[in-house]
Amino acid sequence: MKKYLYLLLFIPFACNPKEEIAPENPCALASATSAAFTIKEATYTQIIEPRLADFLMDTDSVYFSSVYFEALQQDADSFIWQVGSEVQPRYGKQVNVTFPDNLRGTNFNVRLIVKRKPNTRCFPNDNGVDTVTRKFYFVRFNEPLSWEGTYYGSDDDKPDSLYTIILGHTYNSAKDEDLIKLFGIPRGCQDTINERFGGYKNVWFQRGGLDCDAKILRGVFKNCNTYVIRQEHVTMPNGVFTRTKRTFTGIKIN
């Protein structure tokens, strides 16, 4: 298992190759009209940690009822959205829609139409209009979330110290609360945390006063065959406030 893990840690470098751009090419930085867009959950993190822009990930399934749809096209004359069966279209580069819980278990279609003056010099066939339709699923309360599971790996401050992290989730309908279970963060710690900050792809929570010191989990990120879990730990050895950031890298074994 240890040898297999070490091999996997080198794989991500081949996942996102960077292409060299020739500066003498006037079309190197140009783009055709595109209605491509992202679907992201408006989790608690967006309110209290707006600086963590990379925390929210594009998804085809959501657990939180508030969802952001954002066009990737930077320059356009109009952005026209059709969300589900809504009668009236929505407008703007980004729109936020809140879905009622009684629609959980439903697939929604979202369509974006982008219009702009085309760059026919670089893209002769571009007519300045593009349409993209995507589908996403509104997850039921007790369905599995993508970050749930058992992870085996190590932190960047002790790469040779391999250990296991377990993340789980259940929903208590009587109390209308999500139970996020966490074992193994920091290394060797085991406790259960009751919070509501988990989305389908993301999980975020911050708690203090636990047996294993205060800790902050900032998400589970998949990169090829490996997973990255960002952490912060707050301790007060000898009365001195200390904040330590760690990055766990490993594989999902269950």
Side-chain angles (χ1 to χ4, degrees), residues 5 15 45 71 91-92 106 115-116 139 190 202 204 238:
L5 174 63
C15 292
T45 305
Y91 302 93
T106 302
K115 299 179 180 180
R116 70 166 187 170
V139 178
Q190 291 190 356
N202 305 96
W204 189 102
N238 301 320

Side-chain angles (χ1 to χ4, degrees), residues 16-242:
N16 300 303
K18 295 182 179 180
E19 296 181 0
E20 294 185 2
I21 298 177
E24 66 275 6
N25 182 358
C27 294
L29 299 178
S31 61
T33 304
S34 172
F37 62 92
T38 58
I39 302 173
K40 298 181 180 181
E41 293 176 90
T43 63
Y44 186 79
T45 305
Q46 246 182 347
I47 301 173
I48 63 174
E49 291 282 0
R51 63 187 177 86
L52 297 175
D54 63 337
F55 178 84
L56 300 178
M57 294 180 283
D58 187 39
T59 183
D60 60 3
S61 303
V62 300
Y63 183 72
F64 271 72
S65 58
S66 186
V67 186
Y68 278 97
F69 307 100
E70 184 172 7
L72 298 180
Q73 183 79 60
Q74 296 298 317
D75 54 331
D77 298 320
S78 68
F79 302 89
I80 306 172
W81 300 86
Q82 180 64 51
V83 180
S85 59
E86 290 184 343
V87 177
Q88 297 296 328
R90 296 173 183 256
Y91 302 93
K93 186 175 183 293
Q94 181 190 83
V95 296
N96 176 221
V97 182
T98 300
F99 297 87
D101 285 336
N102 63 350
L103 293 182
R104 289 184 178 275
T106 302
N107 287 292
F108 293 89
N109 287 321
V110 180
R111 183 179 69 223
L112 172 63
I113 302 174
V114 168
K115 299 179 180 180
R116 70 166 187 170
K117 182 179 180 180
N119 181 347
T120 54
R121 178 184 179 186
C122 298
F123 305 96
N125 297 323
D126 188 357
N127 65 359
V129 180
D130 190 39
T131 302
V132 169
T133 300
R134 292 186 59 183
K135 179 184 293 185
F136 75 93
Y137 176 65
F138 192 18
V139 178
R140 297 181 189 274
F141 280 123
N142 278 321
E143 291 188 53
L145 306 178
S146 68
W147 49 264
E148 292 187 77
T150 302
Y151 302 85
Y152 182 73
S154 62
D155 293 328
D156 52 354
D157 61 338
K158 289 188 176 181
D160 294 329
S161 181
L162 297 172
Y163 68 104
T164 299
I165 291 175
I166 301 175
L167 301 176
H169 164 264
T170 57
Y171 176 74
N172 186 328
S173 58
K175 296 183 178 180
D176 186 27
E177 66 179 12
D178 293 285
L179 180 65
I180 296 177
K181 298 179 180 180
L182 165 67
F183 298 95
I185 296 179
R187 289 182 295 264
C189 177
Q190 291 190 356
D191 56 32
T192 299
I193 294 180
N194 182 6
E195 292 292 358
R196 296 179 57 88
F197 304 157
Y200 180 76
K201 278 193 173 182
N202 305 96
V203 56
W204 189 102
F205 55 81
Q206 176 176 346
R207 286 292 300 270
L210 301 175
D211 293 338
C212 303
D213 300 317
K215 54 180 165 290
I216 303 171
L217 182 65
R218 297 201 183 278
V220 179
F221 302 82
K222 185 176 182 180
N223 190 349
C224 295
N225 293 320
T226 63
Y227 289 81
V228 175
I229 300 177
R230 298 179 185 174
Q231 315 159 51
E232 290 187 17
H233 305 285
V234 179
T235 59
M236 292 191 67
N238 301 320
V240 179
F241 180 86
T242 302

